[in-house]
Amino acid sequence: MLELVGINTFYGAIQALRDVSMKVDRGEIITLIGANGAGKTTTLMSICGVVPPRSGDILFEGESLKGVSPDKIVSRGVSQAPEGRLIFPDLTVMENLDMGAYLRRDKQGVQEDFDYVFELFPILHQRRRQPGGTLSGGEQQMLAISRALMARPRLLLLDEPSLGLAPLIIRQIFSIIEKINKENTTTIFLVEQNANQALKIAHRGYVMENGSISLSGSSSELLANEDVKKAYLGM
Ligand SMILES: Nc1ncnc2c1ncn2[C@@H]1O[C@H](COP(=O)(O)OP(=O)(O)OP(=O)(O)O)[C@@H](O)[C@H]1O
Ligand SMILES: [Mg+2]
């Protein structure tokens, strides 16, 4: 479904990604783990077209995303819940969700998706008229995921959904991510520092260090890997 072919991404003179190649199959949950500053967010920004790679290529459903604008990439079926949530604090929950659907013209489908996200996260229905900025951290994360779902993506990109949340909320959010993948056959690209939880729900994973992929394998292989255990699982 998605293929990164040797991409190199820069911020001005600083090279953030070096020859990164990855593959994501339809229907999978794949996770990208790594320390602060490894290049995880940059990988997602490259896929979304916000920080396009300087060389290499990204193929989505067999077609290159080279030169394709971020909103066209959303229309093709890729949407992201960004790191730090980045919801609109002054807009209500309903308005934030509407923003996620702004490129869609199928009113009926959008209505179905409102129902779908409120079924996934009933608390958002209770809070629907409240400004996003008044929600708790966990609720804002739920809103960010829901807003991304309102674009009805075939590929959903999640950037550290567990960041700063309590263990109970993290478990709840991860189980809903699994549910979205299973029930809706949405393919999920999950960036996480919480390697343990991420590898528990992912089918496969990649480890990133200093802008390069250092390791990849099935989740069970990575969970059993001595280097992964030491560096990312605190064992
Ligand atoms: N806008 C920017 N301008 C310059 N350098 C940047 C910019 N954004 C990121 N970088 C640099 O690129 C590298 C990769 O950053 P990135 O945000 O992708 O890491 P990350 O793996 O997502 O880290 P974290 O887990 O802390 O979110 C870092 O060295 C970072 O300082
Ligand atoms: Mg990041």
Side-chain angles (χ1 to χ4, degrees):
M1 177 177 230
L2 180 77
E3 191 172 1
L4 277 54
V5 191
I7 65 166
N8 292 286
T9 302
F10 292 74
Y11 295 103
I14 301 166
Q15 183 162 13
L17 298 183
R18 285 168 204 281
D19 195 26
V20 170
S21 295
M22 299 177 74
K23 265 187 191 168
V24 183
D25 292 328
R26 191 178 303 281
E28 280 192 303
I29 300 180
I30 78 111
T31 186
L32 175 61
I33 59 177
N36 285 121
K40 304 181 301 297
T41 297
T42 305
T43 305
L44 294 187
M45 292 303 173
S46 296
I47 297 168
C48 292
V50 177
V51 189
R54 199 170 283 178
S55 60
D57 205 356
I58 299 176
L59 305 173
F60 178 63
E61 297 179 330
E63 285 184 56
S64 174
L65 296 182
K66 222 174 251 174
V68 183
S69 65
D71 60 333
K72 287 270 159 45
I73 292 176
V74 175
S75 302
R76 284 203 193 175
V78 182
S79 74
Q80 177 181 198
E83 185 180 357
R85 310 187 260 273
L86 298 177
I87 54 140
F88 301 102
D90 300 329
L91 300 185
T92 66
V93 166
M94 288 296 280
E95 289 164 344
N96 266 279
L97 292 173
D98 243 341
M99 294 298 283
Y102 81 107
L103 291 166
R104 293 175 62 180
R105 296 286 166 269
D106 56 323
K107 283 218 170 72
Q108 175 67 32
V110 171
Q111 193 49 55
E112 284 166 21
D113 288 346
F114 268 111
D115 296 342
Y116 172 59
V117 300
F118 286 145
E119 191 191 307
L120 286 176
F121 300 109
I123 190 77
L124 292 182
H125 186 256
Q126 285 179 40
R127 305 261 185 271
R128 65 191 180 281
R129 295 187 214 294
Q130 226 168 284
T134 65
L135 301 182
S136 74
E139 290 162 358
Q140 289 189 24
Q141 185 57 62
M142 294 172 193
L143 180 55
I145 295 172
S146 299
R147 189 182 57 187
L149 286 172
M150 291 303 293
R152 203 177 271 193
R154 293 189 294 290
L155 175 64
L156 175 65
L157 311 176
L158 301 172
D159 197 349
E160 301 211 38
S162 78
L163 194 70
L165 303 181
L168 184 69
I169 308 288
I170 295 177
R171 276 199 296 278
Q172 194 188 344
I173 285 180
F174 275 52
S175 96
I176 288 173
I177 293 170
E178 261 187 306
K179 191 170 163 185
I180 293 166
N181 172 251
K182 281 203 187 107
E183 288 179 355
N184 242 18
T185 63
T186 308
T187 306
I188 293 176
F189 190 126
L190 172 66
V191 160
E192 262 299 337
Q193 278 197 55
N194 192 334
N196 191 33
Q197 297 274 357
L199 288 168
K200 274 187 191 145
I201 66 163
H203 302 104
R204 289 188 305 119
Y206 290 86
V207 180
M208 183 164 257
E209 282 172 29
N210 300 319
S212 302
I213 299 294
S214 57
L215 203 60
S216 67
S218 69
S219 294
S220 49
E221 281 165 358
L222 292 177
L223 281 166
N225 180 289
E226 289 305 324
D227 295 334
V228 172
K229 277 190 191 172
K230 270 196 212 106
Y232 304 104
L233 302 174
M235 291 160 95

